[in-house]
């Protein structure tokens, strides 16, 4: 009964969609956007609904953009403009001295250096370690390896805060407090990156690996010449995710560093805030820009890859 | 797995060995031993780091939770269940931290779920500028929590922050968000939700675009539209994603530390003290190692329950990585 009824309307509907599609381009304002969308035609939305939707789009944009805009605007405002009300949205002149003041009242140069060192060294080590183990799980024969795999992936269930105290004691006993190795090494064990890379390596066609093997390539050569080039996109994604996490890391650098010359940017920012008190939001916002800007830059450069990588866990495929 | 192992397991054709089965198997086992050694060598760095900085601390933390220590005494003193008994007194710091954590996590997770689904659905409409909004929405998820905390600290400022501007539009005074105990927990919840909202929205957006078109065509031919379509089709189809977001949302929110540290320091008093803040505060400010360790164990058990629920009900449509 339901089969017969739709039949006549179905071709009509698609017809309409097909003929409507090209003509949308000619229609007044918003044709271009809708023509390029994935799902075809459909009935055209009434104008009030369209307006309402655009209001919602604008509102959503404001929710995310206004605080970010406020951050940059405040970082560049001269002091008197920060403390006026009604507030001003744009600085009348660009007060770059906020950055200079942030830079001199806290050793931001050292913070930046420490963040760069710990992030790059930590990321390189973690990805390297993850690559080796992912390759071992994917291509090296060992009877009980899935048991070891489960043990390693199981570490994802350990929240950072349960390991905090004892890791502090361990690092302290090793004499590593306030050192780069103390900042970096406890974070290089990687179940997440390994899992991501392992899944990618399983997709590599076995014929390719076989061919390399027949050519006499040992495991090392196979890994370097076959596997790593094929998995490069996923390695890049994993690297970005690990990099962001390390740059943003807070609680571990907070407890393991004790002098300002060893602090990383997020920790330095917190100390800048507490030592500047309530009367210098300009420099504090400038410091916040220094902390946030590198990750915003990374994000805008590699947006698709980062979103793809971070959302990959949630969705099928 | 087994398919992938085949090329490795297949014995290599080598001279002469094929005739004598015994020698062949000896060769295989020697080969396997070599492979086994290589296997351990390759995973050694990762495994060592995971055991030394993951499993061992978890176990030793459990041991420490039955002791009293202040980092100064030469060694922890065993006190049995005392820490736990103290923690579970009514009105104790843990009770406050548990209820703060529960409120924070519930509001943050539910809020970002509804907000994120609405934004995700909006972005999936045929509208212009949605790409720009998508980028903007996701950006806060990239930012260090410390930066978000400090930025919101300024915005929450009742004299010079955006909060005053927003409340004056409605003819009201801005609350003292971070310095009064009625509002401090809400301050961290709002800042945290702002950070996560875009991530949730993008997940929903991607999931909505992935919804099977044919099912929708069939349903709309049957006359379903608007709210009915959403309620009876979209919502159920999105339920695996929602489940994923609930579980990972609980785990992420329950561990939030940087925003609290920069916004409120767990205060005023203990009004915004959550479990992670209490663990930090007890160990590294008050030097009550045993109390901190016991609190960490409580948190671990709670999160483990959430994780096990996830593992048990993990839908085939949802992949976790």
């Amino acid at each position: 009964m339901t089969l017969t009824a739709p039949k006549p309307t179905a071709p009509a509907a698609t017809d309409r969609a097909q003929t409507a599609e090209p003509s949308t381009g000619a229609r007044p304002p918003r044709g271009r956007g809708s023509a390029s969308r994935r799902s075809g035609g459909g009935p055209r939305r009434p104008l009030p609904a369209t307006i309402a939707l655009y209001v919602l789009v604008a509102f959503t944009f404001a929710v995310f953009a206004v605080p970010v805009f406020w951050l940059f605007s405040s970082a560049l405002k001269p002091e008197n403009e920060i403390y006026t009300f009604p507030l001003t949205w744009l600085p009348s002149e660009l007060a770059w001295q906020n950055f200079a003041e942030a830079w001199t009242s806290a050793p931001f140069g050292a913070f930046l250096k420490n963040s760069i060192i710990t992030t790059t060294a930590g990321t390189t080590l973690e990805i390297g370690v993850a690559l080796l183990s992912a390759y071992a799980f994917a291509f090296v024969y060992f009877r009980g390896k899935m048991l070891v795999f489960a043990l390693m992936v199981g570490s994802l269930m350990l929240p950072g805060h349960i390991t905090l105290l004892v890791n502090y004691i361990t690092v302290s006993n090793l004499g590593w407090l306030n050192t780069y190795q103390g900042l970096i090494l406890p974070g290089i064990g990687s179940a997440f990156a390994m899992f991501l890379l392992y899944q990618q390596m399983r997709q590599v066609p076995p014929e390719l690996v076989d061919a390399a093997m027949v050519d006499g390539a040992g495991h090392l050569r196979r890994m370097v010449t076959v596997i790593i080039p094929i998995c490069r996109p996923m390695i890049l994604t994993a690297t970005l995710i690990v990099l962001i996490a390390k740059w943003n890391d807070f609680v571990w650098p907070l407890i393991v560093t004790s002098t300002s010359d060893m602090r990383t940017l997020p920790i330095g920012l917190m100390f800048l805030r507490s030592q500047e008190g309530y009367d210098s939001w300009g420099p504090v916002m400038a410091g916040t820009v220094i902390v946030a800007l590198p990750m915003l830059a990374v994000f805008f450069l590699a947006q698709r890859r980062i979103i793809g990588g971070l959302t990959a866990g949630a969705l099928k495929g | 797995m087994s398919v992938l192992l085949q090329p490795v397991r297949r014995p290599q054709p080598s001279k002469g060995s094929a005739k004598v089965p015994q020698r062949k198997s000896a060769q295989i086992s020697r080969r396997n031993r070599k492979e086994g050694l290589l296997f351990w060598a390759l995973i050694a760095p990762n495994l060592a780091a995971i055991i030394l900085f993951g499993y061992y601390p978890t176990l030793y933390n459990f041991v420490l939770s039955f002791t009293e220590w202040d980092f100064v005494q030469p060694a922890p003193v065993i006190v049995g269940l005392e820490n736990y008994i103290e923690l579970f007194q009514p009105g104790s710091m843990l009770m406050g931290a548990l209820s703060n954590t529960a409120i924070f996590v519930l509001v943050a997770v539910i809020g970002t779920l509804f907000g994120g689904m609405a934004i995700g659905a909006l972005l999936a409409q045929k509208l212009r500028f949605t790409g720009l909004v998508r980028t903007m929405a996701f950006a806060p998820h990239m930012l260090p929590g410390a930066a978000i905390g400090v930025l919101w600290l300024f915005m929450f400022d009742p004299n010079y922050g955006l909060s005053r501007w927003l409340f004056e539009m409605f003819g009201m005074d801005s609350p003292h968000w971070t310095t009064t105990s009625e509002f401090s927990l809400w301050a961290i919840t709002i800042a945290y939700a702002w950070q996560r909202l875009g991530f949730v929205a993008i997940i929903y957006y991607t999931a909505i675009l992935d919804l099977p078109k044919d099912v929708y065509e069939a349903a709309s031919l049957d006359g379903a539209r608007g709210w009915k379509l959403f309620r009876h089709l979209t919502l159920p189809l999105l339920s695996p994603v929602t489940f994923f977001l609930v579980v990972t949302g609980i785990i992420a929110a329950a561990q939030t530390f940087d925003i609290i540290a920069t916004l409120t320091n767990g205060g005023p008093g203990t009004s915004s003290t959550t479990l992670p803040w209490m663990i930090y505060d007890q160990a590294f400010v008050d030097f009550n190692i045993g109390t901190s360790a016991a609190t960490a164990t409580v948190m671990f058990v709670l999160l483990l329950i959430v994780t096990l629920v996830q593992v048990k009900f993990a839908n085939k449509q949802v992949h976790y990585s």
Side-chain angles (χ1 to χ4, degrees):
Chain A
M1 43 160 194
T2 44
L3 268 177
T4 49
K7 255 187 182 165
T9 60
T14 47
D15 254 345
R16 179 149 39 84
Q18 274 162 2
T19 50
E21 200 63 72
S23 72
T24 44
R27 264 178 218 205
R30 312 178 176 93
R32 209 202 66 198
S34 57
S36 63
R37 299 296 158 150
R38 315 137 190 86
S39 58
R44 245 191 112 67
R45 198 182 287 119
L47 190 65
T50 310
I51 291 171
L53 283 175
Y54 274 105
V55 170
L56 283 174
V57 168
F59 178 75
T60 307
F61 182 76
V63 165
F64 295 106
V66 167
V68 175
F69 173 79
W70 180 251
L71 166 67
F72 284 92
S73 147
S74 310
L76 289 166
K77 272 183 198 166
E79 201 179 321
N80 59 330
E81 281 174 41
I82 287 183
Y83 304 107
T84 51
F85 209 87
L87 53 85
T88 52
W89 288 96
L90 279 170
S92 62
E93 48 169 328
L94 298 184
W96 295 104
Q97 64 266 25
N98 284 337
F99 285 88
E101 198 182 326
W103 200 271
T104 49
S105 68
F108 260 88
F111 301 160
L112 186 64
K113 187 186 88 183
N114 294 336
S115 267
I116 290 173
I117 289 174
T118 53
T119 302
T120 48
T123 306
T124 312
L125 283 171
E126 180 169 340
I127 295 295
V129 154
L131 264 175
L132 292 181
S133 49
Y135 180 86
F137 285 119
F139 298 109
V140 181
Y141 173 66
F142 181 73
R143 197 181 292 235
K145 69 179 177 183
M146 288 331 277
L147 215 65
V148 187
F149 188 75
L151 176 82
M152 288 169 77
V153 173
S155 71
L156 284 172
M157 287 196 283
L158 309 174
H161 279 85
I162 198 170
T163 58
L164 201 63
L165 184 57
V166 179
N167 279 345
Y168 174 81
I169 296 170
T170 306
V171 164
S172 159
N173 286 340
L174 289 166
W176 286 357
L177 286 182
N178 219 27
T179 63
Y180 286 126
Q181 62 268 36
L183 275 166
I184 294 166
L185 291 181
I188 63 162
S190 163
F192 172 74
M194 176 196 80
F195 191 71
L196 222 57
L197 295 172
Y198 167 75
Q199 282 199 316
Q200 184 68 37
M201 287 182 190
R202 283 182 60 186
Q203 314 282 322
V204 174
E207 294 81 11
L208 278 176
V209 188
D210 273 358
M213 196 165 79
V214 171
D215 283 350
H219 274 297
L220 189 69
R221 281 255 314 272
R222 266 177 266 166
M223 174 156 64
V224 174
T225 60
V226 181
I227 305 302
I228 290 182
I230 292 181
C231 298
R232 193 178 291 149
M234 183 54 89
I235 295 173
L236 195 58
T237 301
T239 304
L240 284 168
I241 294 173
V242 169
L243 184 109
I244 293 161
K246 295 218 186 277
W247 185 272
N248 295 349
D249 195 13
F250 190 82
V251 66
W252 181 249
L254 175 67
I255 63 169
V256 92
T257 60
S258 52
T259 58
S260 60
D261 63 313
M262 282 307 294
R263 278 177 201 141
T264 56
L265 277 174
I267 314 303
L269 177 65
M270 190 182 86
F271 280 96
L272 173 73
R273 218 304 286 167
S274 52
Q275 86 191 33
E276 292 277 315
Y278 278 96
D279 53 352
S280 54
W281 279 115
V284 171
M285 285 297 109
T288 311
V289 167
I290 297 172
V291 178
L293 205 54
M295 284 306 102
L296 281 182
V298 167
F299 176 57
F300 285 113
L301 287 176
Q303 207 191 124
R304 200 156 297 219
R305 194 169 291 285
I306 290 172
I307 293 183
L310 282 173
T311 58
L315 305 158
K316 56 190 166 160
Chain B
M1 244 357 277
S2 58
V3 181
L4 269 151
L5 288 176
Q6 270 168 7
V8 183
R9 210 179 264 166
R10 202 182 304 141
Q12 290 217 23
S14 48
K15 351 111 212 175
S17 63
K19 285 169 239 157
V20 192
Q22 227 177 353
R23 264 179 61 195
K24 184 182 162 188
S25 73
Q27 209 166 29
I28 293 173
S29 80
R30 186 146 27 96
R31 222 183 82 79
N32 285 351
R33 228 185 349 260
K34 238 184 97 191
E35 288 266 309
L37 274 177
L38 178 73
F39 171 77
W40 287 110
L42 286 174
I43 68 162
N46 202 353
L47 186 66
I50 284 176
I51 289 176
L52 182 60
F53 296 113
Y55 283 105
Y56 157 73
T58 306
L59 286 177
Y60 190 48
N61 180 83
F62 189 62
V63 174
L64 281 178
S65 74
F66 299 107
T67 68
E68 227 161 58
W69 194 32
D70 60 0
F71 284 141
V72 181
Q73 290 164 274
V77 182
I78 294 168
V79 294
L81 286 170
E82 208 172 281
N83 291 324
Y84 289 97
I85 293 168
E86 250 171 66
L87 283 180
F88 284 99
Q89 297 296 328
S92 70
M93 192 178 182
L94 178 78
M95 289 302 153
L98 275 175
S99 92
N100 284 342
T101 311
I103 294 171
F104 169 66
V105 169
L106 272 178
V107 175
V109 169
I110 294 174
T112 54
L113 221 53
F114 279 103
M117 193 189 277
I119 295 170
L122 178 70
L123 296 181
Q125 302 296 314
K126 296 177 201 167
L127 297 166
R128 296 180 74 177
F129 308 119
T130 50
L132 185 66
V133 178
R134 238 161 37 224
T135 303
M136 207 61 228
F138 203 84
H141 193 68
M142 293 293 105
L143 297 181
I148 288 181
V150 173
L151 168 61
W152 279 83
L153 191 66
F154 185 25
M155 294 203 299
F156 280 135
D157 188 297
N159 298 314
Y160 308 112
L162 281 184
S163 176
R164 178 171 170 189
W165 167 75
L166 192 67
F167 276 82
E168 283 206 351
M169 281 202 309
F170 300 98
M172 290 188 284
D173 284 337
S174 165
H176 290 243
W177 289 102
T178 56
T179 51
T180 51
S181 44
E182 302 99 288
F183 291 106
S184 57
L185 192 61
W186 298 105
I188 62 169
T189 310
I190 292 167
Y192 175 78
W194 183 76
Q195 184 186 29
R196 187 168 166 89
L197 186 59
F199 173 75
V200 175
I202 300 302
I203 299 260
Y204 271 125
Y205 162 77
T206 319
I208 287 170
L209 289 189
D210 271 359
L211 290 175
K213 293 275 168 326
D214 46 341
V215 180
Y216 275 85
E217 273 159 33
S220 65
L221 290 179
D222 284 346
R225 11 194 113 334
W227 172 248
K228 217 170 153 190
L229 203 64
F230 182 77
R231 167 76 186 78
H232 292 289
L233 199 54
T234 308
L235 222 48
L237 283 172
L238 288 178
S239 63
V241 175
T242 305
F243 177 71
F244 166 85
L245 285 170
V246 168
V247 172
T248 54
I250 292 173
I251 292 172
Q255 297 185 64
T256 303
F257 181 84
D258 38 17
I259 287 182
I260 301 172
T262 42
L263 262 185
T264 66
N265 274 313
T270 55
S271 59
S272 62
T273 295
T274 60
L275 287 173
W277 182 265
M278 182 177 166
I279 292 165
Y280 165 80
D281 191 58
Q282 286 297 308
F284 299 103
V285 180
D286 290 347
F287 306 115
N288 294 325
I289 307 309
T291 312
S292 173
T295 309
T297 306
V298 171
M299 174 171 158
F300 173 60
V301 171
L302 291 175
L303 289 183
L304 194 64
I305 292 169
V306 177
T307 310
L308 292 180
V309 168
Q310 175 186 25
V311 171
K312 184 151 168 39
F313 294 104
N315 190 303
K316 277 225 164 75
Q317 281 174 277
V318 191
H319 289 299
Y320 303 98
S321 48

